[in-house]
Amino acid sequence: MNAPAEISRGTPQRLSNTAERLKKKLERGVGQAIADFDMIGDGDTVMVCVSGGKDSYTLLSCLLALRERAPVDFRIVAVNLDQKQPGFPAEVLPAYFETIGVEYRIVTEDTYSIVRDKIPEGKTTCSLCSRLRRGILYRTAREIGATRIALGHHRDDILETFFLNLFFGGRTKAMPPKLVSDDGEHVVIRPLAYCTEADIARFARAMDYPIIPCNLCGSQENAQRKHVKAMLQGWASEHPGRIESIFTALANVVPSHLMDDALFDFRGLTRATEVAEGDTAFDPPDLPAATLGGIRILG
């Protein structure tokens, strides 16, 4: 296995200008997300879930870099779950963790056989695999005394989940940057929440990370998520700024102008009720001027 670009035989290596810019950009995004949502505090033990994919390698890199200059002291433990997939290169991640000098634990559980036994051939394995993996990681977090579980979901994952819930689940719901687990024992964080998949992919290539594909589900990419991803990529290409606007909207919710009576008391509304934005929300939004054949069209 080649040593990662950031470290070779324990000696820091100079990154290319492109990789250095990407590194700083990603670290700024991670640092901002941590600050905005109070993800990590003094004395925390952060269990970083590392699958061997580009996202988790980047997450680990950013957290290790930020720990060096953070105003708080926290412990990082990299954890990989070896699910006993056929052909899984079990030596890759331990060697990588040793190379960069991070504390780590490899957890071995044969969830592959369970999933193959329970899920009919051709059916998506993601749901059961995810539940099994989550339970094992929660148990591991208890064993190592982790106060935070860090996952490698990024901005694109959050937006795709939002539209999947909107289109197919009838819910206005995405991935939160910070949440409490269902059992109430763990705080899960997503420090890459502000980072784009494109930047992460470019950084991972520049760093030459030893990527490990998921053979269990890698060829079963969820068709609906694939379509949503393509839709968002099309928007990003054809309508610059649209994706950023949608992502910003997730943090600017006005419950009084939706329809969820659990979030806003519509039945109890009277003329004396104070409502955010009031009837100004019925005004036309301020949209950028459209163009037709290069000619500016004013609304």
Side-chain angles (χ1 to χ4, degrees), residues 4 7 21 58 71 93 123-124 133 149 152 168 173 175 182 188-189 195-196 213 221 223 232 239 287:
I7 295 180
R21 286 194 298 270
T58 300
L93 282 169
K123 298 294 184 179
T124 182
R133 186 170 61 247
I149 299 175
F168 306 107
K173 174 183 175 183
M175 283 180 174
D182 291 341
V188 178
I189 59 175
C195 301
T196 69
E221 185 176 356
L232 294 176
H239 307 281
L287 299 177

Side-chain angles (χ1 to χ4, degrees), residues 127-180:
S127 179
L128 177 58
C129 182
S130 178
R131 290 199 303 273
L132 293 171
R133 186 170 61 247
R134 185 162 56 242
I136 295 166
L137 290 174
Y138 285 171
R139 184 196 70 204
T140 303
R142 288 193 296 271
E143 292 172 355
I144 67 176
T147 54
R148 298 289 188 267
I149 299 175
L151 302 180
H153 297 122
H154 44 67
R155 191 188 75 175
D156 298 65
D157 291 321
I158 293 172
L159 286 171
E160 288 164 19
T161 301
F162 170 71
F163 280 103
L164 284 168
N165 279 304
L166 188 69
F167 293 160
F168 306 107
R171 292 180 293 179
T172 304
K173 174 183 175 183
M175 283 180 174
K178 181 180 180 183
L179 74 155
V180 178

Side-chain angles (χ1 to χ4, degrees), residues 36-292:
D36 285 351
F37 300 100
D38 193 22
M39 291 184 180
I40 300 174
D42 193 44
D44 273 331
T45 292
V46 183
M47 185 179 96
V48 183
C49 300
V50 182
S51 65
K54 67 182 190 310
D55 305 329
S56 56
Y57 278 124
T58 300
L59 172 62
L60 180 61
S61 174
C62 289
L63 289 178
L64 287 171
L66 290 172
R67 185 180 62 174
E68 294 302 312
R69 55 181 185 269
V72 297
D73 181 48
F74 59 94
R75 174 187 173 209
I76 291 176
V77 183
V79 171
N80 171 254
L81 171 58
D82 180 353
Q83 299 177 267
K84 304 309 295 182
Q85 297 178 24
F88 180 78
E91 74 285 353
V92 169
L93 282 169
Y96 176 76
F97 295 148
E98 292 284 349
T99 299
I100 66 173
V102 69
E103 182 181 354
Y104 71 92
R105 177 179 291 196
I106 305 296
V107 181
T108 302
E109 295 280 354
D110 189 3
T111 61
Y112 178 88
S113 295
I114 296 173
V115 171
R116 285 305 186 198
D117 180 62
K118 299 294 184 183
I119 304 296
E121 187 68 28
K123 298 294 184 179
T124 182
T125 60
C126 298
S127 179
L128 177 58
C129 182
S130 178
R131 290 199 303 273
L132 293 171
R133 186 170 61 247
R134 185 162 56 242
I136 295 166
L137 290 174
Y138 285 171
R139 184 196 70 204
T140 303
R142 288 193 296 271
E143 292 172 355
I144 67 176
T147 54
R148 298 289 188 267
I149 299 175
L151 302 180
H153 297 122
H154 44 67
R155 191 188 75 175
D156 298 65
D157 291 321
I158 293 172
L159 286 171
E160 288 164 19
T161 301
F162 170 71
F163 280 103
L164 284 168
N165 279 304
L166 188 69
F167 293 160
F168 306 107
R171 292 180 293 179
T172 304
K173 174 183 175 183
M175 283 180 174
K178 181 180 180 183
L179 74 155
V180 178
S181 61
D182 291 341
D183 59 13
E185 294 186 19
H186 309 283
V187 175
V188 178
I189 59 175
R190 295 184 169 100
L192 293 176
Y194 292 162
C195 301
T196 69
E197 184 173 21
D199 283 343
I200 292 169
R202 289 168 58 213
F203 180 68
R205 287 193 298 270
M207 299 302 292
D208 195 25
Y209 288 133
I211 303 296
I212 302 174
C214 177
N215 296 323
L216 181 64
C217 58
S219 61
Q220 292 186 320
E221 185 176 356
N222 184 285
Q224 293 171 344
R225 182 173 289 274
K226 185 176 181 180
H227 289 314
V228 168
K229 180 185 289 289
M231 177 191 75
L232 294 176
Q233 290 173 344
W235 285 352
S237 175
E238 298 171 14
H239 307 281
R242 176 177 292 186
I243 300 303
E244 289 74 14
S245 179
I246 296 171
F247 188 73
T248 299
L250 295 180
N252 289 282
V253 180
V254 185
S256 62
H257 290 70
L258 295 174
M259 296 177 64
D260 191 338
D261 59 5
L263 296 179
F264 184 81
D265 184 13
F266 291 101
R267 291 180 180 273
L269 184 144
T270 69
R271 287 176 294 176
T273 302
E274 292 187 10
V275 178
E277 297 193 23
D279 60 7
T280 61
F282 293 101
D283 294 341
D286 294 326
L287 299 177
T291 59
L292 180 62

